[in-house]
Every structure is written in C-alpha cells, then in structure tokens.
C-alpha cells in the first residue's frame, strides 16, 4: 500500500491536506493522526470494513474494543443509546472540565456503530481530543472516528511522527505528522455505566482530579496480568493483552533511589558478563548513578508529567540500541504516575523487583 505523508502544523493548519485526509476516511481508508495523548490509527466508526482494516494494520486482536473520537458534543448523540444520559450531572461535569482532553467516557451504544468497534459489547468509549488537528480532521469527516494507538499491537505507543512511520508506513493510506504528543500516555478510560464509576485504564486525567470533581469514590478496575482468562471480555483498550513492550525483556525496580541503583548496577554487570545488550531507563535525577552510555532518561522527578511524555519514546529508544534486557526505575504512583506505572508494568509483564 502506498502511504501519503501529510505534514500539518497545528498552529497553521493546511486545510487542503486535512480535507484530503478526511476524504480518505470517508471512503473507508485508514489515516494516522496526532492527538495530545498518542498518535491514533483512524477509520470511520460506522464502516465495518474500514475498522476491520485497523485490526489488520496493527495485528491487533479483534476482541479489544476501540475508542470513538468526536469533534463536538452533538456528534456524541449519534453514538449513544439514550441522549438523556448527557443530562446526567456527573457526565456534564466531566465533559465541561475534561473535554476536549485525555478522558474517554464509557456509554451505552446505539446501533450506528459496527460491532467491530465495540468488540460486540453494548458499550462504547468516546473521547473528544484536545489536539486541534485531530478535532478538525474529525469535523471534516463528519462522523465519529474509531482510533486505537497507531502502533503495531503490543509495541510502545507512538508519540512522535517517526514512531508511526516505523510501524505504519505501507499499512495505511495516510499519516498526518504534526509534532510530538504533549501528554504521552493514552487517555483515562472511565466507565460511567456503573455506580460508583470505574477507571478501566489510567491515563492523562488523574483519578484524584476525577474524584475531586465528582465528589465521590472512583474505583480502579483490576488488571489481568497475562493472557490467561480467555473468557475475559475487555471493556476498554489495554485491559487484556501485553502492551507497550519493546523487543527486549523489561524489569522494573521499585524502592529508594540508591537501593534501586545498587540493584540495577548489579543486574547490569551480570547482563554484560553474559554477553547481553542492557539498557537502563532512569530519571534525570538518578541517571548519574549509572554508566551514561547505557542510560535513557525518561523524565524529571520535579515535573512528573515528563515521565508520561517520555515513557514510550524511552522504550522505543531501547529498541534502537538493540537492547535485549531493560532495567527501568519505577516512579511514584501519585497523579499521572499511576498511568506511567500502568504502562511500565504492562511493558514488563508485571515483572517488578522491590528493593
């Protein structure tokens, strides 16, 4: 497949290119587009064949539901079973405070969506992205756009144009390149079809901020640690299968900085002696504890958001060094750190060492 590359500046949008991309979606094609979280692989949500092609391009299991992206609140009415749901005070608060933004809300769906989008469930995850290029693309398309992350299934999600070109070139009709993603981890998925609400996937909107806004407890769904439980039907992306993984084995270390560094350096030396290619993923503050030639810095403890913005790029950088074993420092699970640790542990297959 020939893939067109559209370079679009979010501050000076070339609408002629964006309209071409929208036309591709309208006729059932696939378009990679930027969001504030990660790059998405988009198809018209009402087109069964187009959505099937998403799974083919990614190599993604078809029992993993997709999120539908919208450009305005009117568009949501075409997707949910009961418009009165939008009058719910909690949903109103969420939409007013976090849309556009990195929050996906689970609703009861109507029949306008093909089963491939929802993996046969009676619910659908809906999000209004903050990224202006994404919203304008959806507006020009005129319908909801189903889009998982634009990476080969199981690989670290793409937050830079080069990531999607690595994974999706030749598999999709077009790739919109528009800089790096600001948030860097996928959206928070919040199930509002139950009470109390349940976060199915932590992400760019923190559990604390949702709890403060709604004034009620917010539960966190359990995570299946591997591919056991074949009868499990995930209600949101990322709940069932191993995700975000580089090619090398990942081990996460949690504890005090100095003790983590001591343990990582021990494992690192053993790996070198065994002829392996090790890589260390560390914070800016702790990188000094290691041999700098082997360190990838993925964030700054004084600005936790940088860990979210940097985690997937760091894991992909380990691949560029052909690392076959990766030693990664854990981060605090407060705020956005909860989402970062969710991604790290999934990349590691929950392989964590407490020191």
């Amino acid at each position: 497949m020939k893939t067109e590359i559209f370079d679009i500046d979010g501050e000076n949008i070339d609408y002629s290119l964006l309209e071409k991309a929208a036309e591709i979606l309208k006729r059932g094609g696939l378009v990679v587009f930027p969001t504030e979280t990660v790059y998405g692989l988009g198809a018209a949500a009402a087109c069964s064949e187009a959505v099937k092609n998403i799974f083919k391009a990614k190599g993604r299991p078809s029992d993993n539901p997709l999120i539908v992206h919208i450009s305005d609140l009117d568009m949501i009415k075409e997707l949910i079973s009961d418009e009165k749901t939008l009058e719910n005070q909690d949903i109103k608060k969420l939409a007013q405070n976090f849309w556009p933004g990195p929050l996906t809300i689970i609703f009861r769906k109507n029949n306008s969506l093909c089963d491939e989008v929802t993996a046969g469930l009676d619910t659908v995850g809906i999000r209004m992205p903050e990224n202006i290029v994404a919203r304008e693309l959806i507006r020009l398309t005129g319908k909801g756009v189903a889009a998982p992350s634009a990476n080969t299934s199981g690989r670290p999600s793409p937050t830079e144009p080069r990531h999607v070109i690595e994974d999706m070139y030749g598999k999709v009709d077009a790739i919109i390149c528009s800089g790096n993603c600001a948030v860097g981890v996928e959206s928070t998925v919040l199930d509002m079809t139950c009470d109390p609400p349940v976060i199915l996937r932590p992400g760019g909107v923190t559990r604390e901020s949702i709890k403060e806004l709604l004034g009620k407890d917010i539960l966190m769904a359990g995570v299946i640690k591997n591919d056991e439980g074949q009868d499990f039907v995930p209600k949101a992306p990322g709940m069932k299968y191993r995700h975000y993984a580089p090619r090398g084995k990942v081990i996460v270390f949690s504890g005090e900085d100095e003790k983590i560094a001591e343990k990582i350096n021990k494992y690192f030396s053993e790996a070198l002696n065994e002829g392996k290619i090790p890589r260390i993923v560390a914070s800016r503050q702790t990188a000094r504890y290691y041999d700098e030639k082997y360190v990838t810095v993925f964030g700054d403890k004084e600005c936790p958001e940088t860990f979210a913005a940097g985690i997937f790029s760091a894991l992909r950088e380990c691949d560029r060094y052909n690392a076959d074993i990766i030693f990664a420092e854990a981060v605090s699970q407060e705020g956005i750190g909860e989402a970062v640790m969710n991604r790290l542990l999934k990349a590691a297959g929950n392989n964590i060492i407490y020191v």
Side-chain angles (χ1 to χ4, degrees), residues 200-202 220 223 238 244 333 337-347:
L200 303 181
R201 178 183 72 188
M220 181 70 71
V223 177
Y244 321 118
Q333 295 202 48
E338 187 168 39
V340 176
M341 282 302 295
N342 171 270
R343 302 323 190 260
L344 258 183
L345 290 175
K346 280 185 170 290

Side-chain angles (χ1 to χ4, degrees), residues 32 38-41 58 148-152 158 163-164 167-168 316:
V32 173
V38 301
Y39 273 81
L41 171 55
K58 283 179 63 71
S149 55
N151 56 302
T152 302
H163 298 163
V164 290
D167 282 14
M168 289 293 125
R316 283 181 175 264

Side-chain angles (χ1 to χ4, degrees), residues 108-128:
R108 299 289 176 191
K109 72 164 189 174
N110 64 22
N111 294 325
S112 68
L113 292 166
C114 59
D115 286 342
E116 288 80 7
V117 169
T118 60
L121 298 172
D122 64 355
T123 56
V124 59
I126 299 175
R127 178 166 99 87
M128 186 190 301

Side-chain angles (χ1 to χ4, degrees), residues 8 37 42 65 141 143 180 203 217 220 255 267 271 275 304 311 334-335 346:
I8 298 179
T37 58
T141 303
K143 298 286 184 180
N180 296 351
D217 286 336
M220 181 70 71
Y267 276 64
I311 181 59
E334 293 183 3
K346 280 185 170 290

Side-chain angles (χ1 to χ4, degrees), residues 115-174:
D115 286 342
E116 288 80 7
V117 169
T118 60
L121 298 172
D122 64 355
T123 56
V124 59
I126 299 175
R127 178 166 99 87
M128 186 190 301
E130 184 176 7
N131 183 286
I132 186 63
V133 174
R135 278 209 319 282
E136 285 295 274
L137 173 66
I138 299 163
R139 181 184 66 80
L140 291 170
T141 303
K143 298 286 184 180
V145 174
S149 55
N151 56 302
T152 302
S153 187
R155 295 266 293 130
S157 298
T159 56
E160 303 176 22
R162 61 177 174 169
H163 298 163
V164 290
I165 292 171
E166 286 172 4
D167 282 14
M168 289 293 125
Y169 191 85
K171 300 177 183 178
V172 300
D173 296 284

Side-chain angles (χ1 to χ4, degrees), residues 5 24 36 53 76 202 248 269 275 289 311 340 353:
I5 303 292
I24 291 171
E36 71 279 12
N53 286 333
I76 200 173
S269 296
Y289 294 132
I311 181 59
V340 176
I353 294 174

Side-chain angles (χ1 to χ4, degrees), residues 144-339:
V145 174
S149 55
N151 56 302
T152 302
S153 187
R155 295 266 293 130
S157 298
T159 56
E160 303 176 22
R162 61 177 174 169
H163 298 163
V164 290
I165 292 171
E166 286 172 4
D167 282 14
M168 289 293 125
Y169 191 85
K171 300 177 183 178
V172 300
D173 296 284
I175 295 173
I176 298 174
C177 296
S178 188
N180 296 351
C181 301
V183 175
V185 292
E186 293 85 353
S187 61
T188 301
V189 178
L190 180 66
D191 190 349
M192 292 299 293
T193 67
C194 52
D195 189 26
V198 178
I199 290 178
L200 303 181
R201 178 183 72 188
V205 174
T206 66
R207 175 164 40 170
E208 293 89 342
S209 61
I210 296 172
K211 182 177 180 180
E212 182 179 355
L213 176 69
L214 300 185
K216 62 172 65 175
D217 286 336
I218 305 297
L219 303 182
M220 181 70 71
V223 177
I224 288 183
K225 295 183 179 181
N226 51 40
D227 289 349
E228 297 173 1
Q230 294 177 354
D231 294 331
F232 174 69
V233 179
K235 209 172 186 180
M239 292 188 72
K240 185 174 182 181
Y241 299 98
R242 186 176 182 228
H243 277 63
Y244 321 118
R247 297 185 185 95
K249 177 183 179 180
V250 179
I251 304 174
V252 179
F253 294 79
S254 179
E256 296 178 5
D257 288 350
E258 290 81 2
K259 291 182 179 179
I260 288 176
E262 182 180 350
K263 184 69 74 171
I264 285 179
N265 280 321
K266 177 178 179 294
Y267 276 64
F268 177 85
S269 296
E270 291 173 355
L272 279 181
N273 290 335
E274 293 170 3
K276 294 180 179 179
I277 304 173
R279 195 80 192 158
I280 298 168
V281 175
S283 71
R284 184 181 67 81
Q285 285 80 2
T286 56
R288 58 190 171 88
Y289 294 132
Y290 312 107
D291 185 334
E292 64 179 10
K293 293 184 298 184
Y294 295 92
V295 176
T296 293
V297 173
F298 78 119
D300 187 323
K301 291 187 176 187
E302 295 180 3
C303 185
E305 290 78 11
T306 59
F307 289 113
I311 181 59
F312 291 137
S313 289
L315 293 176
R316 283 181 175 264
E317 181 175 307
C318 292
D319 279 347
R320 286 192 287 276
Y321 281 97
N322 296 314
D324 46 29
I325 187 162
I326 299 157
F327 307 119
E329 296 178 343
V331 301
S332 167
Q333 295 202 48
E334 293 183 3
I336 194 68
E338 187 168 39

